Amino acid sequence: MTRWTTAALLTALALTGLTACSDDDTPSSVASKVASAASRAGEAVSSATAEAGRRFDDIKNGVDARDDVRLGTPATASDGRTTVEVTATNSADSAKSFAVQVDFTDQDGTLRDAVVVTVSNVAAGGSGKATARSTHDLSGDVKAKVSRAVRY
């Protein structure tokens, strides 16, 4: 079983609340429910990644700015979502905005969610902050990394 499959199955179990079989559940029906939930979890990550790609496709004349972006330490908010502070430093000679894709991964590096955050109107030579927030609850040891960043 691959790492993705294992993570998807664990996620599926958590999402569906399947912890044991009752007399009414056959092993094949439980397996089917788990597979269905795993598929939905995989589709959610694919959807988030596709949406991030669309957001970057809309930016014209952007400059790669990954080296100008720093992330804080991920934390779990009271609503169960993972948040991380994003700081963008503008090295240009005029005010610029930044689009930053933050990938949330588990401890094994498996992608769990992807979001795009905008840091708007950062003054020349200054820094701006925003907060990236996961689209769904993430459990366990969540890490965050800058996947893409564009200054425009």
Side-chain angles (χ1 to χ4, degrees), residues 9 13 18 20-35:
L9 288 174
L13 288 171
L18 297 174
C21 296
S22 70
D23 291 338
D24 296 334
D25 291 327
T26 65
S28 63
S29 70
V30 171
S32 177
K33 290 175 187 175
V34 169

Side-chain angles (χ1 to χ4, degrees), residues 14 22 33 39 49 51 54 60 66 70 75 80 89 91 106-107 109 115 117 121 129 134 136 138 140 144 146-147:
S22 70
K33 290 175 187 175
S39 175
T49 303
E51 177 59 26
R54 284 190 289 278
K60 305 299 179 213
R66 278 183 295 208
R70 299 286 177 260
T89 303
S91 59
D106 62 20
Q107 63 187 9
V115 297
V117 64
N121 299 318
K129 295 185 185 289
S134 66
H136 56 278
L138 303 175
V146 175
S147 175

Side-chain angles (χ1 to χ4, degrees), residues 8-149:
L9 288 174
L10 291 174
T11 301
L13 288 171
L15 290 172
T16 60
L18 297 174
T19 56
C21 296
S22 70
D23 291 338
D24 296 334
D25 291 327
T26 65
S28 63
S29 70
V30 171
S32 177
K33 290 175 187 175
V34 169
S36 176
S39 175
R40 286 191 305 275
E43 289 169 5
V45 170
S46 293
S47 177
T49 303
E51 177 59 26
R54 284 190 289 278
R55 298 263 315 262
F56 277 89
D57 289 344
D58 289 342
I59 297 171
K60 305 299 179 213
N61 301 317
V63 176
D64 183 358
R66 278 183 295 208
D67 292 340
D68 296 330
V69 176
R70 299 286 177 260
L71 299 180
T73 302
T76 302
S78 60
D79 64 356
R81 305 291 173 94
T82 300
T83 62
V84 65
E85 186 175 76
V86 177
T87 303
T89 303
N90 183 6
S91 59
D93 58 2
S94 62
K96 299 290 182 182
S97 294
F98 293 76
V100 181
Q101 179 178 335
V102 176
D103 288 351
F104 292 103
T105 63
D106 62 20
Q107 63 187 9
D108 295 327
T110 302
L111 182 64
R112 302 283 311 280
D113 200 1
V115 297
V116 176
V117 64
T118 302
V119 184
S120 300
N121 299 318
V122 180
S127 294
K129 295 185 185 289
T131 301
R133 183 176 183 271
S134 66
T135 61
H136 56 278
D137 294 359
L138 303 175
S139 60
D141 184 21
V142 178
K143 301 191 182 309
K145 70 175 189 168
V146 175
S147 175
R148 294 189 276 184

